Every structure is written in C-alpha cells, then in structure tokens.
Amino acid sequence: MTIKDTPEEWEIRGTGTPFVGNKTSVRTDDVVMPDGTVVHRDYQVHPGSVAVLALDDADRVLVLRQYRHPVRHKLWEIPAGLLDVPGENPLHAAQRELYEEAHVKAEDWRVLTDVYTTPGGCDEAVRIFLARGLSEAEGDRFEVEDEEADMELARVPAEELVRGALAGELHNNCLVVGVLSLVAARAGDGLDALRPAQAPWPARPFEA
C-alpha cells in the first residue's frame, strides 16, 4: 500500500459564490456522495500562500510576531504571504515576502514541505521554503501597513521553537509545520536532499 495523497474530484451538480471578499471568497458546491445523495459543501476559496523558514548560520529561525484578529492573538510566525497573481512562481513570491517582512535575502532555497492548511473548509495550499545563506537586503525597507506595522522581528534558536510547538505555546500552522519538518529533514537524508526550490507544485501550477 502506497501512502500518498491522490487527486480526485467528485461530481458537482451545482455551485454558487455567496460571498466575495478582498482576497478570498466562499463557495457552495452541491456534491454527489458515493451513495448518490447530494450534499452542500461550503468552503473558502483561497489563492494560495508561501512561507519561509529562514535559518541563519547560528541555527536561528527568523520569526515575526503579528496580531491575528480571527483568533484574537499575537502569534509568532515565519514570513509568509499570498500568491497574489494567478500562476505566480512561488519562489519569487517567497523571496518577495522575506524581503518585505524582514528585509533579508537568502542564497540557498529549498522546498521544505507543501501543505493544505485546513482542507475540510478551505482550499488554501501553502508551500514552505527553507532559506539559508541569509544577509541584509539592499535598498530601502518596504513600507508596511495595518497589522504588519506592529510586527516584531526576532531570531530564535530552532530547538526553542520546537519546544514551544510541542508545549502548545506556538500555534501558527506554517511555523509549527516548518520547524518540525526541519527536524525531520535533518534526521532523515539531510537538508541538502530537500526538493529544489523550483520543484513542481500540482496544487498551484506555475511557470519556472
């Protein structure tokens, strides 16, 4: 038995979009079940995202603390952002987010892991990159606004983030998945064996 996710699409008898927001929308599909019944499924339609686990030479991860209104928390996170343009190259988007949120660039990029954040209610797909060889970016800092204007920036040892995730003290999906994937990759074939930064991503196809 091969343990691998596989694409599949059940018949849809009808669809509607009862809500359209600035970045996402809500869709209602009438989906045919295996027994022939038809049920409504509401879910958030999302353009997709990228996130960056930026690891420096001292084995510290670059993290940001930001207010997240839906959960009423300030969360420690890794740099991340939306794929604003359909078909956008996720590596380019990740490089942009690392520059805009942390004013940092990286020499070595790998795909750490790909995830669906909440597949029971949202089609968001996230590609998490590992970025190494960090240095200060050139030019002026990006002008941030809204929640990002209140962000804090820190570099935290990877092992401390792992401890915090397992202790229930850190909750951001990309941060938790990212640091645990880092540990797993090191315990396996090593970081240099990770997929290349331009590896195919069927969930969000792109031009290399």
Side-chain angles (χ1 to χ4, degrees):
M1 181 178 179
T2 302
I3 305 299
K4 181 179 180 180
D5 296 337
T6 55
E8 184 170 336
E9 187 167 353
W10 291 1
E11 180 185 353
I12 298 173
R13 293 277 175 85
T15 188
T17 307
F19 171 79
V20 177
N22 185 32
K23 297 291 186 179
T24 66
S25 60
V26 172
R27 183 176 296 160
T28 298
D29 288 340
D30 297 330
V31 186
V32 181
M33 296 289 106
D35 65 358
T37 59
V38 178
V39 301
H40 299 298
R41 288 292 177 261
D42 302 318
Y43 59 99
Q44 183 183 18
V45 179
H46 194 285
S49 306
V50 292
V52 185
L53 192 142
L55 188 68
D56 68 15
D57 292 339
D59 206 43
R60 299 175 303 175
V61 176
L62 194 155
V63 291
L64 309 162
R65 189 169 183 245
Q66 183 174 346
Y67 176 65
R68 294 300 187 183
H69 185 71
V71 296
R72 309 300 199 272
H73 270 71
K74 271 193 171 182
L75 299 178
W76 285 104
E77 307 179 352
I78 55 178
L82 298 175
L83 291 168
D84 294 312
V85 181
E88 182 177 16
N89 187 303
L91 173 61
H92 299 165
Q95 291 169 332
R96 179 189 68 233
E97 293 300 330
L98 186 60
Y99 163 74
E100 291 182 356
E101 295 192 350
H103 201 67
V104 166
K105 63 180 181 179
E107 295 299 322
D108 186 271
W109 290 81
R110 311 282 173 131
V111 175
L112 191 53
T113 192
D114 299 323
V115 294
Y116 291 115
T117 55
T118 49
C122 180
D123 71 352
E124 181 183 14
V126 180
R127 168 155 281 188
I128 304 176
F129 289 90
L130 172 67
R132 294 178 293 174
L134 308 185
S135 61
E136 188 83 359
E138 295 90 4
D140 296 331
R141 287 186 171 273
F142 182 76
E143 290 285 338
V144 296
E145 58 184 10
D146 301 329
E147 289 93 341
E148 292 183 351
D150 188 49
M151 284 195 310
E152 303 170 48
L153 178 65
R155 295 193 182 204
V156 179
E159 62 181 17
E160 183 176 334
L161 296 176
V162 171
R163 183 205 60 76
L166 297 179
E169 298 168 355
L170 299 171
H171 305 88
N172 175 262
N173 183 295
C174 292
L175 171 62
V176 172
V177 171
V179 296
L180 296 182
S181 295
L182 176 71
V183 171
R186 281 176 165 166
D189 295 329
L191 301 184
D192 290 336
L194 290 168
R195 286 174 291 162
Q198 298 280 17
W201 188 19
R204 294 293 185 273
F206 63 93
E207 293 286 336

